[in-house]
Amino acid sequence: MAKFKVLVGINYPDGSGGEKRAEIGDVVEDLPEKAAKWMERDGIIEPVSRAKSSAPKDEEVEG
Amino acid sequence: MPTFRHGKNTKVFINEFDLSTQLREVNTTAEADTAETSAFGTTDKTYVIGLLGTSLTLSGMFSGAAGEIDALFNSWNGDDIDKVVSIYTEGVGAAGSGTGRAVQQAPGKFTMRTIPSTLTDMVGIQANIISDGIARSGRSLHDYVTAESSTGNMASGLDNGVLTSNGGSGHLNVPINTRNGTSIIKVQHSTDNSAWADLVTFATVNASTITSERIVVAPLTTVNRYLRGQWTIAGTTGAITFALSFARH
């Protein structure tokens, strides 16, 4: 699932009838898609861009 | 069908005080200035609407002990400090039923105090309040009758039908608090009545502390379709009773 950084405190369904709470600065990846859509639009969350994984460098082989 | 309410259930909160048991009448009047535009050649007066202002009048029964209505009105009169005035004109309902009812909100300054004493009636007390800025009609987001002792929220959001885009104001009045831990009280909004974002977060209410606060949400801020009250309560004993409302501007 997509990861989002929380910019305003939120409560969202935990999938089992309850709620989860996320505070400013938390990163969440279990937001319902419908909620993520309006919260991103309203500036309540922002997507976390995946850090580019650096390709392993070839080891130099001493001759 | 319209839903009519009897005035006897009106609740009046000013700052951290519930003055309902000492008052008998409250009037909230919103009035716009008018500038006349009639000129030669016209036969009927014409006007342009100017600024909108709100004033309130309170009338009740004199009670002179410390912390009661006369002492409060006397200390507030002319102090030039906005009070958190919340008038629950539809009452607060029975436990669990009070949310969604109309609340008149005003940041009010006391401008007059009168004590009428007559041969034929109880000694009275009256006050005039002028709203220092925007006064609006809001909705209750917590059932004042219910004393809370655990974290919770409204069972279902209050549906406005559509979002609004001009901010608003939140009022919190806490007249009773025996809880031995802190309370954090919020107004949250939502587009789907399922996931919620904080809209107004009031200052943390300390243990066994009565308080009040008005927070204005800036103009042009989106307030989504659904609103609810949400409270996070720490501690182990006691309870907090509070009136919470929000007005869309």
Side-chain angles (χ1 to χ4, degrees), chain A:
Chain A
M1 295 185 82
K3 286 186 178 180
F4 296 94
K5 184 178 180 183
V6 175
L7 306 177
V8 176
I10 58 173
N11 291 59
Y12 58 99
D14 63 4
S16 57
E19 281 190 0
K20 292 182 79 170
R21 171 74 185 172
E23 300 292 350
I24 295 172
D26 289 349
V27 173
V28 296
E29 52 184 323
D30 54 354
L31 262 182
E33 190 176 339
K34 189 178 173 185
K37 193 174 177 181
W38 72 262
M39 286 183 172
E40 186 178 356
R41 183 197 66 216
D42 286 5
I44 293 164
I45 58 172
E46 66 179 9
V48 176
S49 54
R50 289 183 181 175
K52 292 178 181 175
S53 56
S54 54
K57 293 178 181 175
D58 293 338
E59 290 182 7
E60 289 183 10
V61 179
E62 291 182 5

Side-chain angles (χ1 to χ4, degrees), chain B residues 74-160:
Chain B
N74 191 39
S75 66
W76 292 338
N77 192 33
D79 69 0
D80 203 19
I81 297 171
D82 288 352
K83 310 295 179 293
V84 184
V85 180
S86 309
I87 313 291
Y88 285 67
T89 44
E90 290 189 298
V92 292
S97 69
T99 57
R101 295 192 176 187
V103 182
Q104 309 305 311
Q105 295 183 342
K109 290 182 175 177
F110 276 65
T111 60
M112 190 175 79
R113 164 177 162 267
T114 306
I115 300 173
S117 183
T118 66
L119 178 65
T120 56
D121 204 352
M122 302 294 292
V123 177
I125 188 164
Q126 298 165 355
N128 289 2
I129 301 171
I130 192 163
S131 181
D132 183 26
I134 294 173
R136 288 288 187 274
S137 183
R139 294 285 163 182
S140 170
L141 298 178
H142 177 255
D143 172 21
Y144 169 72
V145 177
T146 303
E148 304 290 354
S149 56
S150 61
T151 296
N153 48 259
M154 280 169 58
S156 182
L158 182 64
D159 187 1
N160 189 57

